[in-house]
Amino acid sequence: MFKKLIKLFKSGNFSDFQSQVDQINALESEIEKFSSEEILNESERLRKQARGSADASALQLLLNKILPRAFALVRETAKRTLGQRHYDVQLMGGIALNNSSIAEMRTGEGKTLAATLPVYLNAVSGKGVHVVTVNEYLAKRDTVWMGQIYYALGMSVGCLVHDGAFIYDPEHTLENKKSKTENQAGDFKSGKDLDKDRDIRGGFLVHEEFLRPVSRKEAYDADITHGTNHEFGFDYLRDNLVHKPDDKVQKEHNFAIIDEVDSILIDEARTPLIIAAPDTESSQHYKTFARIASGLRKEEDYSVDEKAKSVYITESGIDKVERAINVKNIYAPENLRLTHYLIESLKAKELFLKDKDYVVKDGSITLVDQFTGRLMMGRRYSGGLHQAIEAKEGVRVNQESRTYASISIQNYFRMYKKLAGMTGTAQTSAEEFHKVYGLEVVTIPTHKPTAREDMKDFIYKTRRAKYDAIVKDVRERNDRSQPVLIGTVSIEKNEELSGFLNRAGLKHEVLNAKNNEREGAIIAQAGRPSAITVATNMAGRGVDIMLGGPSPAKFKNEGDSENRKVSEEYKRWEEEREIVIKAHGLHVIGTERHESRRIDNQLRGRAGRQGDVGSSQFFLSLEDDLMRIFGGERIKNLMETLKVPDEMPIQSKLISRSIEQAQSKVEGINFDSRKHLLDYDDVLNKQRLSIYRKRDELLATNKIIIRNRASKNFGGGESSKDSEKEKEISFSKSATPIILFALDNFWMNHLENMEALQESVRLRAYGQHDPLVEYRKEGHFMFQSLLDEFEAWVEENKDKIRGTSDKIIEEYLSSPAQHKHNSAISHTDNKFSKTGGKKIGRNEPCPCNSGKKYKKCHMTQG
């Protein structure tokens, strides 16, 4: 803690923070005398003051000025509603968040409560604050739990989840309860009682009756909106597919605080957000190539680079494949699609493993988040990889998808005027946070000194020896009533270790993505005496493991006949907690190093919360994936030369350093992968924003401004001499969606072309050309061509659209074939087509005789 304080002092933050904390503390004696009504009035005064600010810079200066008073109001309100008073270190965390920094706060230090301070302060402007969480349970929990504070301060609080949207509304709930019988009404708990309830999760019980269902737009209109990163990101993309202004749900992107910021802005940043729908590609090819791939031999027919996550086909493999599918040259231009099927099938075979990267559930492939161990329902790999895995596992192969809209996680969150985040593990990724998001990491001191003992790694020669040692260690700790949490890197390893414990007769709980519905119940009991829990990385983010198990209420309501029973339960819990403390608290065992040091630190952080005693230790083997890929063979040969027995562990600084270097290498590779994605998405993002601005203008005004050019020049080639002039074309309100349909279709074709361009420019590196420079240059020309073709289409079809009755347009728009957010778009058989009513395939020659495929020529003319 002393080192952290010195670091803060050197960075110039600590003295500033302490000065502001002193100001907040000085206001406490004044504000604690306020009645609830006076607190509400004071909050309203701050709101009026903030909403009078003329611009963003003036507003920020005002917020900094009123920060001490706003924070003091939140602290006092938290004391009254939750019975919790912000510690000074939590005030520091709140100040760091308000300064657009990442607050690194240790597990159990109360990040959620700390966030209420800057959330309220920035919400007084009325411009909206988004609180982003890693899962829907936490979004709902924080809406109800922290919603009590905001509600008492006159703020509205919304919540977004996959299947709906809600507003925190205790008064609405109370009215509903009062309408029931007196018995039922007696069960109602006021907001003040909420935080006393513990459910089987061992954390806060979500009282969903306090959440009133509303539209998504209403949830966004609230002063504060909670939700997952996917809900916010996909709503943004859907907003830019609507055909009526009123269908948009989001407001401006003002301020976002991201909980578990490393998980969202780093771990999930390799996967862009994509809205897509099935295309018409056949699934039979994937089944054929899955069968062929299963017959090819590794090293003989293809090679695998596990570090780069790539596969390479050899001459021998090419010969076998060509014979199998009866083609002379699989790399001929007309067969390029077949090489795509082949490579994806080999990747599915070698690089994506069942019960590690995905599970087979209910006859379909469900992805597993490698950083949390949770199932990612509804998420799919792109580029045909998902279909290749489906074919490999023999489940139904779904059609490939066509992208309608996409954005990277990085570019979505960089749209916010102000961004902040909090996590327990950020320093190891500080460089990436700064380079990509412009965010500085500020380490906040702990409220109490850390009492956890982090022991040196035990390293064994074989995995079997490692498991035997873990079983022996667990048995010894179990005999003295110490609870143990064992972390594994995959479902497969999770179940493998469980088998060893079963054979040893050690009773334990297993937690992985296959039984995540029991996560709460399992984690709640993980801190009880002699508890043994084997879990993947999903264990406990957002929920603390409490020593002795979840604490029951100390007393029921005064005069309650169950007081004695409740008191006895609390007494038993205190006794069990004391037993665990004497056994030195929760012990965490890591069975493998994760490729990211942050994940290892998160696992260690499950023990030693808020000054509790605890310990952690990693048991490793030279057969672990990380060691095997990054030089484990060399160390294994050394151990064999020294004749080290399998069952003897070694504790070597040299090997520990090698492991850290391997982790650093993988982190570097992953950073490069995310940076690569971002560099290319930055090019597309400028184009995306330009198209979305054009959509917004059209939605708002029913007008479109185009560069004047010869209407017959549909191909977008040579322009007329007055091409630089602009002119405005107006349409009826009912006809505007037709123009939007066309624009969306041009944009989707462009997305396909840009994806193909990204693939093709990689090969230019062999010719000493920078692929990114080539992508930028050609992407620019392609985008200009898109705009030219769209404007020419508008010019050529404006009279037909204007001359069509509103009734026909309405019939066209209501046709099932037309685009409704995620559904497919088809303009081949509409009222404005020049194809004579005949349906033209996307890949067939265009009837205009241009020599281009229909999808790249007049497909969007409809």
mmCIF file of all heavy atoms in Angstrom, residues 626-654:
data_model
loop_
_atom_site.group_PDB
_atom_site.id
_atom_site.type_symbol
_atom_site.label_atom_id
_atom_site.label_comp_id
_atom_site.label_asym_id
_atom_site.label_seq_id
_atom_site.Cartn_x
_atom_site.Cartn_y
_atom_site.Cartn_z
ATOM 1 N N LEU A 626 0.785 -23.144 -22.210
ATOM 2 C CA LEU A 626 1.650 -21.970 -22.291
ATOM 3 C C LEU A 626 3.124 -22.366 -22.299
ATOM 4 O O LEU A 626 3.914 -21.836 -23.085
ATOM 5 C CB LEU A 626 1.353 -21.031 -21.115
ATOM 6 C CG LEU A 626 1.923 -19.617 -21.228
ATOM 7 C CD1 LEU A 626 1.178 -18.820 -22.293
ATOM 8 C CD2 LEU A 626 1.833 -18.897 -19.889
ATOM 9 N N MET A 627 3.494 -23.326 -21.425
ATOM 10 C CA MET A 627 4.878 -23.783 -21.348
ATOM 11 C C MET A 627 5.258 -24.563 -22.601
ATOM 12 O O MET A 627 6.363 -24.412 -23.144
ATOM 13 C CB MET A 627 5.064 -24.654 -20.109
ATOM 14 C CG MET A 627 4.915 -23.900 -18.802
ATOM 15 S SD MET A 627 6.193 -22.649 -18.573
ATOM 16 C CE MET A 627 7.640 -23.678 -18.431
ATOM 17 N N ARG A 628 4.344 -25.398 -23.079
ATOM 18 C CA ARG A 628 4.622 -26.244 -24.256
ATOM 19 C C ARG A 628 4.868 -25.394 -25.500
ATOM 20 O O ARG A 628 5.785 -25.654 -26.273
ATOM 21 C CB ARG A 628 3.442 -27.184 -24.480
ATOM 22 C CG ARG A 628 3.581 -28.090 -25.681
ATOM 23 C CD ARG A 628 2.388 -29.029 -25.776
ATOM 24 N NE ARG A 628 1.118 -28.316 -25.761
ATOM 25 C CZ ARG A 628 0.622 -27.691 -26.828
ATOM 26 N NH1 ARG A 628 1.273 -27.684 -27.971
ATOM 27 N NH2 ARG A 628 -0.543 -27.068 -26.760
ATOM 28 N N ILE A 629 4.057 -24.355 -25.675
ATOM 29 C CA ILE A 629 4.175 -23.519 -26.872
ATOM 30 C C ILE A 629 5.382 -22.599 -26.791
ATOM 31 O O ILE A 629 6.058 -22.344 -27.787
ATOM 32 C CB ILE A 629 2.879 -22.691 -27.064
ATOM 33 C CG1 ILE A 629 1.695 -23.625 -27.321
ATOM 34 C CG2 ILE A 629 3.020 -21.703 -28.217
ATOM 35 C CD1 ILE A 629 0.353 -22.938 -27.314
ATOM 36 N N PHE A 630 5.699 -22.126 -25.584
ATOM 37 C CA PHE A 630 6.764 -21.144 -25.438
ATOM 38 C C PHE A 630 7.968 -21.703 -24.668
ATOM 39 O O PHE A 630 8.332 -21.221 -23.607
ATOM 40 C CB PHE A 630 6.240 -19.891 -24.738
ATOM 41 C CG PHE A 630 5.299 -19.096 -25.576
ATOM 42 C CD1 PHE A 630 3.939 -19.332 -25.517
ATOM 43 C CD2 PHE A 630 5.761 -18.134 -26.459
ATOM 44 C CE1 PHE A 630 3.052 -18.607 -26.302
ATOM 45 C CE2 PHE A 630 4.881 -17.403 -27.235
ATOM 46 C CZ PHE A 630 3.530 -17.636 -27.171
ATOM 47 N N GLY A 631 8.559 -22.764 -25.166
ATOM 48 C CA GLY A 631 9.866 -23.190 -24.672
ATOM 49 C C GLY A 631 9.878 -24.171 -23.540
ATOM 50 O O GLY A 631 10.928 -24.371 -22.907
ATOM 51 N N GLY A 632 8.778 -24.842 -23.265
ATOM 52 C CA GLY A 632 8.759 -25.809 -22.175
ATOM 53 C C GLY A 632 9.646 -27.014 -22.429
ATOM 54 O O GLY A 632 10.174 -27.619 -21.493
ATOM 55 N N GLU A 633 9.862 -27.359 -23.705
ATOM 56 C CA GLU A 633 10.675 -28.527 -24.058
ATOM 57 C C GLU A 633 12.109 -28.359 -23.576
ATOM 58 O O GLU A 633 12.731 -29.301 -23.092
ATOM 59 C CB GLU A 633 10.645 -28.717 -25.581
ATOM 60 C CG GLU A 633 11.160 -30.060 -26.050
ATOM 61 C CD GLU A 633 10.316 -31.223 -25.549
ATOM 62 O OE1 GLU A 633 9.085 -31.071 -25.445
ATOM 63 O OE2 GLU A 633 10.907 -32.274 -25.243
ATOM 64 N N ARG A 634 12.635 -27.129 -23.684
ATOM 65 C CA ARG A 634 14.014 -26.867 -23.255
ATOM 66 C C ARG A 634 14.161 -27.085 -21.753
ATOM 67 O O ARG A 634 15.127 -27.696 -21.293
ATOM 68 C CB ARG A 634 14.376 -25.424 -23.626
ATOM 69 C CG ARG A 634 15.841 -25.097 -23.411
ATOM 70 C CD ARG A 634 16.170 -23.669 -23.817
ATOM 71 N NE ARG A 634 15.637 -22.703 -22.865
ATOM 72 C CZ ARG A 634 14.590 -21.918 -23.109
ATOM 73 N NH1 ARG A 634 13.953 -21.999 -24.249
ATOM 74 N NH2 ARG A 634 14.163 -21.052 -22.200
ATOM 75 N N ILE A 635 13.185 -26.602 -20.993
ATOM 76 C CA ILE A 635 13.241 -26.759 -19.535
ATOM 77 C C ILE A 635 13.034 -28.220 -19.150
ATOM 78 O O ILE A 635 13.659 -28.739 -18.218
ATOM 79 C CB ILE A 635 12.179 -25.860 -18.865
ATOM 80 C CG1 ILE A 635 12.418 -24.389 -19.257
ATOM 81 C CG2 ILE A 635 12.207 -26.011 -17.363
ATOM 82 C CD1 ILE A 635 11.301 -23.465 -18.880
ATOM 83 N N LYS A 636 12.166 -28.897 -19.915
ATOM 84 C CA LYS A 636 11.911 -30.324 -19.645
ATOM 85 C C LYS A 636 13.186 -31.140 -19.842
ATOM 86 O O LYS A 636 13.509 -32.024 -19.037
ATOM 87 C CB LYS A 636 10.807 -30.825 -20.567
ATOM 88 C CG LYS A 636 10.352 -32.240 -20.264
ATOM 89 C CD LYS A 636 9.167 -32.627 -21.134
ATOM 90 C CE LYS A 636 8.660 -34.013 -20.772
ATOM 91 N NZ LYS A 636 7.505 -34.401 -21.612
ATOM 92 N N ASN A 637 13.936 -30.843 -20.899
ATOM 93 C CA ASN A 637 15.201 -31.549 -21.158
ATOM 94 C C ASN A 637 16.190 -31.306 -20.033
ATOM 95 O O ASN A 637 16.930 -32.214 -19.625
ATOM 96 C CB ASN A 637 15.801 -31.096 -22.490
ATOM 97 C CG ASN A 637 14.964 -31.544 -23.672
ATOM 98 O OD1 ASN A 637 14.209 -32.515 -23.576
ATOM 99 N ND2 ASN A 637 15.090 -30.854 -24.798
ATOM 100 N N LEU A 638 16.193 -30.069 -19.505
ATOM 101 C CA LEU A 638 17.079 -29.740 -18.395
ATOM 102 C C LEU A 638 16.716 -30.549 -17.158
ATOM 103 O O LEU A 638 17.603 -31.092 -16.473
ATOM 104 C CB LEU A 638 16.979 -28.237 -18.101
ATOM 105 C CG LEU A 638 17.778 -27.721 -16.897
ATOM 106 C CD1 LEU A 638 19.276 -27.920 -17.122
ATOM 107 C CD2 LEU A 638 17.486 -26.240 -16.648
ATOM 108 N N MET A 639 15.420 -30.682 -16.868
ATOM 109 C CA MET A 639 14.973 -31.447 -15.702
ATOM 110 C C MET A 639 15.331 -32.928 -15.856
ATOM 111 O O MET A 639 15.691 -33.594 -14.888
ATOM 112 C CB MET A 639 13.468 -31.266 -15.502
ATOM 113 C CG MET A 639 13.078 -29.854 -15.060
ATOM 114 S SD MET A 639 11.299 -29.646 -14.823
ATOM 115 C CE MET A 639 11.048 -30.484 -13.256
ATOM 116 N N GLU A 640 15.231 -33.432 -17.087
ATOM 117 C CA GLU A 640 15.572 -34.837 -17.316
ATOM 118 C C GLU A 640 17.068 -35.062 -17.191
ATOM 119 O O GLU A 640 17.523 -36.097 -16.693
ATOM 120 C CB GLU A 640 15.067 -35.271 -18.692
ATOM 121 C CG GLU A 640 13.544 -35.410 -18.737
ATOM 122 C CD GLU A 640 13.024 -35.747 -20.122
ATOM 123 O OE1 GLU A 640 13.835 -35.704 -21.081
ATOM 124 O OE2 GLU A 640 11.821 -36.023 -20.239
ATOM 125 N N THR A 641 17.850 -34.069 -17.636
ATOM 126 C CA THR A 641 19.309 -34.167 -17.498
ATOM 127 C C THR A 641 19.710 -34.209 -16.032
ATOM 128 O O THR A 641 20.608 -34.959 -15.623
ATOM 129 C CB THR A 641 19.987 -32.961 -18.192
ATOM 130 O OG1 THR A 641 19.621 -32.944 -19.568
ATOM 131 C CG2 THR A 641 21.509 -33.049 -18.079
ATOM 132 N N LEU A 642 19.018 -33.400 -15.236
ATOM 133 C CA LEU A 642 19.297 -33.362 -13.786
ATOM 134 C C LEU A 642 18.602 -34.500 -13.036
ATOM 135 O O LEU A 642 18.731 -34.599 -11.820
ATOM 136 C CB LEU A 642 18.849 -32.016 -13.216
ATOM 137 C CG LEU A 642 19.578 -30.770 -13.778
ATOM 138 C CD1 LEU A 642 18.942 -29.496 -13.243
ATOM 139 C CD2 LEU A 642 21.064 -30.810 -13.422
ATOM 140 N N LYS A 643 17.842 -35.325 -13.790
ATOM 141 C CA LYS A 643 17.123 -36.470 -13.217
ATOM 142 C C LYS A 643 16.196 -36.072 -12.069
ATOM 143 O O LYS A 643 16.181 -36.701 -10.998
ATOM 144 C CB LYS A 643 18.121 -37.535 -12.759
ATOM 145 C CG LYS A 643 18.936 -38.113 -13.904
ATOM 146 C CD LYS A 643 19.889 -39.205 -13.441
ATOM 147 C CE LYS A 643 20.673 -39.772 -14.624
ATOM 148 N NZ LYS A 643 21.612 -40.833 -14.223
ATOM 149 N N VAL A 644 15.421 -35.005 -12.311
ATOM 150 C CA VAL A 644 14.447 -34.557 -11.313
ATOM 151 C C VAL A 644 13.250 -35.503 -11.356
ATOM 152 O O VAL A 644 12.646 -35.708 -12.413
ATOM 153 C CB VAL A 644 13.971 -33.116 -11.620
ATOM 154 C CG1 VAL A 644 12.915 -32.687 -10.623
ATOM 155 C CG2 VAL A 644 15.162 -32.159 -11.586
ATOM 156 N N PRO A 645 12.864 -36.125 -10.225
ATOM 157 C CA PRO A 645 11.708 -37.043 -10.209
ATOM 158 C C PRO A 645 10.419 -36.308 -10.581
ATOM 159 O O PRO A 645 10.277 -35.113 -10.301
ATOM 160 C CB PRO A 645 11.663 -37.530 -8.746
ATOM 161 C CG PRO A 645 13.014 -37.247 -8.190
ATOM 162 C CD PRO A 645 13.514 -36.033 -8.900
ATOM 163 N N ASP A 646 9.467 -37.044 -11.183
ATOM 164 C CA ASP A 646 8.201 -36.435 -11.614
ATOM 165 C C ASP A 646 7.465 -35.774 -10.459
ATOM 166 O O ASP A 646 6.855 -34.714 -10.619
ATOM 167 C CB ASP A 646 7.294 -37.497 -12.256
ATOM 168 C CG ASP A 646 7.774 -37.880 -13.637
ATOM 169 O OD1 ASP A 646 8.804 -37.326 -14.079
ATOM 170 O OD2 ASP A 646 7.119 -38.722 -14.278
ATOM 171 N N GLU A 647 7.507 -36.432 -9.281
ATOM 172 C CA GLU A 647 6.708 -35.936 -8.162
ATOM 173 C C GLU A 647 7.378 -34.797 -7.394
ATOM 174 O O GLU A 647 6.789 -34.219 -6.483
ATOM 175 C CB GLU A 647 6.390 -37.079 -7.196
ATOM 176 C CG GLU A 647 7.581 -37.653 -6.430
ATOM 177 C CD GLU A 647 8.380 -38.673 -7.239
ATOM 178 O OE1 GLU A 647 8.049 -38.873 -8.430
ATOM 179 O OE2 GLU A 647 9.319 -39.267 -6.685
ATOM 180 N N MET A 648 8.605 -34.450 -7.775
ATOM 181 C CA MET A 648 9.324 -33.389 -7.060
ATOM 182 C C MET A 648 9.101 -32.042 -7.750
ATOM 183 O O MET A 648 9.432 -31.878 -8.921
ATOM 184 C CB MET A 648 10.824 -33.677 -7.006
ATOM 185 C CG MET A 648 11.624 -32.581 -6.268
ATOM 186 S SD MET A 648 13.410 -32.888 -6.255
ATOM 187 C CE MET A 648 13.476 -34.299 -5.150
ATOM 188 N N PRO A 649 8.539 -31.064 -7.033
ATOM 189 C CA PRO A 649 8.354 -29.739 -7.646
ATOM 190 C C PRO A 649 9.638 -28.937 -7.587
ATOM 191 O O PRO A 649 10.497 -29.176 -6.733
ATOM 192 C CB PRO A 649 7.282 -29.110 -6.762
ATOM 193 C CG PRO A 649 7.530 -29.709 -5.410
ATOM 194 C CD PRO A 649 8.010 -31.112 -5.659
ATOM 195 N N ILE A 650 9.782 -28.014 -8.483
ATOM 196 C CA ILE A 650 10.911 -27.090 -8.400
ATOM 197 C C ILE A 650 10.355 -25.681 -8.303
ATOM 198 O O ILE A 650 9.281 -25.372 -8.820
ATOM 199 C CB ILE A 650 11.852 -27.218 -9.615
ATOM 200 C CG1 ILE A 650 11.109 -26.933 -10.924
ATOM 201 C CG2 ILE A 650 12.518 -28.573 -9.674
ATOM 202 C CD1 ILE A 650 12.024 -26.824 -12.115
ATOM 203 N N GLN A 651 11.080 -24.850 -7.608
ATOM 204 C CA GLN A 651 10.733 -23.434 -7.492
ATOM 205 C C GLN A 651 11.933 -22.650 -7.995
ATOM 206 O O GLN A 651 12.904 -22.467 -7.286
ATOM 207 C CB GLN A 651 10.398 -23.065 -6.050
ATOM 208 C CG GLN A 651 9.094 -23.666 -5.567
ATOM 209 C CD GLN A 651 8.780 -23.286 -4.135
ATOM 210 O OE1 GLN A 651 9.591 -23.471 -3.249
ATOM 211 N NE2 GLN A 651 7.589 -22.758 -3.909
ATOM 212 N N SER A 652 11.859 -22.247 -9.263
ATOM 213 C CA SER A 652 12.995 -21.628 -9.912
ATOM 214 C C SER A 652 12.636 -20.237 -10.424
ATOM 215 O O SER A 652 11.633 -20.064 -11.127
ATOM 216 C CB SER A 652 13.471 -22.500 -11.084
ATOM 217 O OG SER A 652 14.312 -21.790 -11.950
ATOM 218 N N LYS A 653 13.464 -19.259 -10.068
ATOM 219 C CA LYS A 653 13.243 -17.904 -10.575
ATOM 220 C C LYS A 653 13.407 -17.874 -12.088
ATOM 221 O O LYS A 653 12.723 -17.131 -12.785
ATOM 222 C CB LYS A 653 14.234 -16.936 -9.926
ATOM 223 C CG LYS A 653 13.951 -16.646 -8.462
ATOM 224 C CD LYS A 653 14.918 -15.592 -7.910
ATOM 225 C CE LYS A 653 14.605 -15.281 -6.447
ATOM 226 N NZ LYS A 653 15.560 -14.273 -5.901
ATOM 227 N N LEU A 654 14.320 -18.709 -12.598
ATOM 228 C CA LEU A 654 14.555 -18.760 -14.037
ATOM 229 C C LEU A 654 13.299 -19.204 -14.782
ATOM 230 O O LEU A 654 12.889 -18.590 -15.773
ATOM 231 C CB LEU A 654 15.705 -19.728 -14.345
ATOM 232 C CG LEU A 654 15.977 -20.008 -15.833
ATOM 233 C CD1 LEU A 654 16.454 -18.732 -16.524
ATOM 234 C CD2 LEU A 654 17.007 -21.124 -15.996
#
